């Protein structure tokens, strides 16, 4: 059920799907490749198993999301296509859900992401402190976890996937990206520790190396440096010469209107899968 800001709340239509007891929670945050700007219809031909698993929703993984353009759902829903920035789009929740959908227990994904946003001045203030978007994300996470607890769930945050940095690849944002990114990871770890059994598993990812992102190298170098500061920090190398690099494709699936900013259907799917695998292996 998609709601926009200002709508009156209704009774949760999926309340019976919430299973009491221990449960894993996965958090997603960042900008447009986190909120979801990849067309899902191509997966019908390119990954029919995944397409069939999620076309009508999969109740083994329930999702509550808040995306760009104030697009959000009020209550948890079975993971399905269309939980991106429009009904035609999807984000990493599909790949993550693909990894967790065969578990015995229900898994919950909570996403807060806003496209075209930067750390400097939006997620954090000019001094690298918690700011508007960061505070909104924490509030969204807290409220959704509180709702799960209210309904008998004992939620454990198994990990968080952060996909952002493109908008900080320009001057002057790139000049303070190391300070901001380091602070951001520390803030999330501090503010979410009450939901974690151990340290927060923080999964980050390289931004694309396409020239549309002017100083992608600085951004990715910082991400790699920060990933080594804590054994619970993890990094997905979406591109590069490293043997572990996924070398994801940022062009669209069709021949016309190539999108150089967002991942193709198989690449967005693989991005989410890799994040899900890392979280599951380190819970």
């Amino acid at each position: 059920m998609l709601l926009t800001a200002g709508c009156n709340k209704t009774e949760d239509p999926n309340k019976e799907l919430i299973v009491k007891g221990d449960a894993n929670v996965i958090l997603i945050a960042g900008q447009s490749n986190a909120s979801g700007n990849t067309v899902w219809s191509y997966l019908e031909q390119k990954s029919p198993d995944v397409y069939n698993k999620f076309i009508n929703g999969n109740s083994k993984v329930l999702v509550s999301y808040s995306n760009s353009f104030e697009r959000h759902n009020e209550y948890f829903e079975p993971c399905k296509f269309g939980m991106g920035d429009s009904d035609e789009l999807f984000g990493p929740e599909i790949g993550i859900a693909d990894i967790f959908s065969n578990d015995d227990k229900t898994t919950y994904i909570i996403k807060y992401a806003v496209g075209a946003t930067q750390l400097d001045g939006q997620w954090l203030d000019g001094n690298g402190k918690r700011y508007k978007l960061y505070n909104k994300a924490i509030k969204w996470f807290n409220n959704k976890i509180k709702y799960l607890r209210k309904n008998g769930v004992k939620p454990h945050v198994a990990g968080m996937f952060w996909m952002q940095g493109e908008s900080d690849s320009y001057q002057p944002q790139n000049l303070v990206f190391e300070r901001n990114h380091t602070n951001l990871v520390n803030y999330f770890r501090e503010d979410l520790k009450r939901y974690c059994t151990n340290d927060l598993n923080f999964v980050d990812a390289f931004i694309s190396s396409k020239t549309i992102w002017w100083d992608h190298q600085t951004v990715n170098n910082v991400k790699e440096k920060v990933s080594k500061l804590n054994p619970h920090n993890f990094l997905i190398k979406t591109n590069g010469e490293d043997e572990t690099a996924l070398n994801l494709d940022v062009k669209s699936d069709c021949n016309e209107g190539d999108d150089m900013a967002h991942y193709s259907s198989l690449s967005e799917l693989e991005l989410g899968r890799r994040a899900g695998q890392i979280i599951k292996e380190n819970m």
Side-chain angles (χ1 to χ4, degrees):
M1 177 178 63
L2 175 65
L3 296 178
T4 55
C7 293
N8 294 325
K9 288 186 178 182
T10 58
E11 187 173 347
D12 185 352
N14 299 309
K15 193 171 183 178
E16 73 279 1
L17 298 178
I18 295 178
V19 180
K20 295 181 179 180
D22 294 335
N24 290 316
V25 173
I26 313 295
L27 307 178
I28 300 173
Q31 56 181 110
S32 59
N33 281 308
S35 59
N37 279 268
T38 300
V39 178
W40 57 261
S41 58
Y42 295 108
L43 291 176
E44 183 175 11
Q45 297 297 323
K46 296 189 175 187
S47 186
D49 289 345
V50 170
Y51 178 87
N52 291 329
K53 183 185 289 188
F54 294 104
I55 186 62
N56 294 313
N58 191 302
S59 60
K60 289 296 294 181
V61 181
L62 302 182
V63 182
S64 184
Y65 64 91
S66 177
N67 290 340
S68 313
F69 318 115
E70 299 186 343
R71 177 181 169 83
H72 68 283
N73 59 357
E74 192 65 44
Y75 300 109
F76 286 91
E77 297 179 72
C79 187
K80 61 184 179 181
F81 298 118
M83 291 181 159
D85 280 351
S86 79
D87 289 341
E88 291 74 37
L89 303 174
F90 76 98
E93 66 278 352
I94 295 294
I96 293 174
D98 193 40
I99 298 299
F100 284 87
S101 60
N102 293 323
D103 287 8
D104 292 334
K105 296 187 295 184
T106 300
T107 299
Y108 301 87
I109 294 176
I110 308 173
K111 178 170 69 167
Y112 184 92
V114 184
T117 55
Q118 58 201 39
L119 292 188
D120 189 42
Q122 292 184 296
W123 287 86
L124 305 181
D125 68 16
N127 295 311
K129 305 300 183 183
R130 298 170 178 85
Y131 198 46
K132 293 179 180 179
L133 289 181
Y134 177 88
N135 292 333
K136 288 181 178 180
I138 288 295
K139 182 178 180 180
W140 183 261
F141 296 153
N142 285 337
N143 286 344
K144 297 307 172 182
I145 291 174
K146 181 179 179 181
Y147 182 77
L148 291 176
R149 285 177 166 174
K150 180 181 177 181
N151 286 278
V153 179
K154 297 178 180 178
H156 160 71
V157 173
M160 177 177 189
F161 178 46
W162 173 261
M163 183 69 229
Q164 190 275 343
E166 294 90 344
S167 292
D168 288 272
S169 66
Y170 304 98
Q171 289 187 348
Q173 291 80 18
N174 61 327
L175 302 178
V176 290
F177 185 71
E178 182 171 352
R179 177 201 69 186
N180 287 340
H181 191 63
T182 303
N183 287 355
L184 180 91
V185 178
N186 290 336
Y187 293 151
F188 275 129
R189 182 159 282 127
E190 179 180 347
D191 294 340
L192 297 169
K193 62 183 178 182
R194 55 182 163 157
Y195 305 127
C196 304
T197 302
N198 299 303
D199 227 346
L200 172 70
N201 291 317
F202 187 92
V203 183
D204 194 11
F206 276 176
I207 66 170
S208 168
S209 59
K210 296 296 183 181
T211 55
I212 184 176
W213 310 123
W214 182 75
D215 193 10
H216 58 83
Q217 195 60 58
T218 291
V219 170
N220 288 341
N221 286 344
V222 167
K223 286 172 174 280
E224 186 159 20
K225 182 177 180 179
V226 172
S227 73
K228 298 175 181 178
L229 297 179
N230 187 301
H232 291 273
N233 290 351
F234 304 92
L235 179 65
I236 300 172
K237 296 184 178 180
T238 60
N239 56 80
E241 301 300 323
D242 192 289
E243 62 180 9
T244 65
L246 299 181
N247 291 314
L248 301 183
D249 176 21
V250 296
K251 290 188 176 182
S252 64
D253 295 86
C254 59
N255 293 325
E256 297 181 5
D258 283 342
D259 182 349
M260 300 300 290
H262 304 114
Y263 291 113
S264 66
S265 58
L266 289 179
S267 290
E268 182 75 2
L269 177 62
E270 182 58 25
L271 179 64
R273 277 175 169 165
R274 182 62 64 92
Q277 288 168 347
I278 292 171
I279 292 171
K280 193 165 191 177
E281 290 168 3
N282 292 278
M283 290 191 309

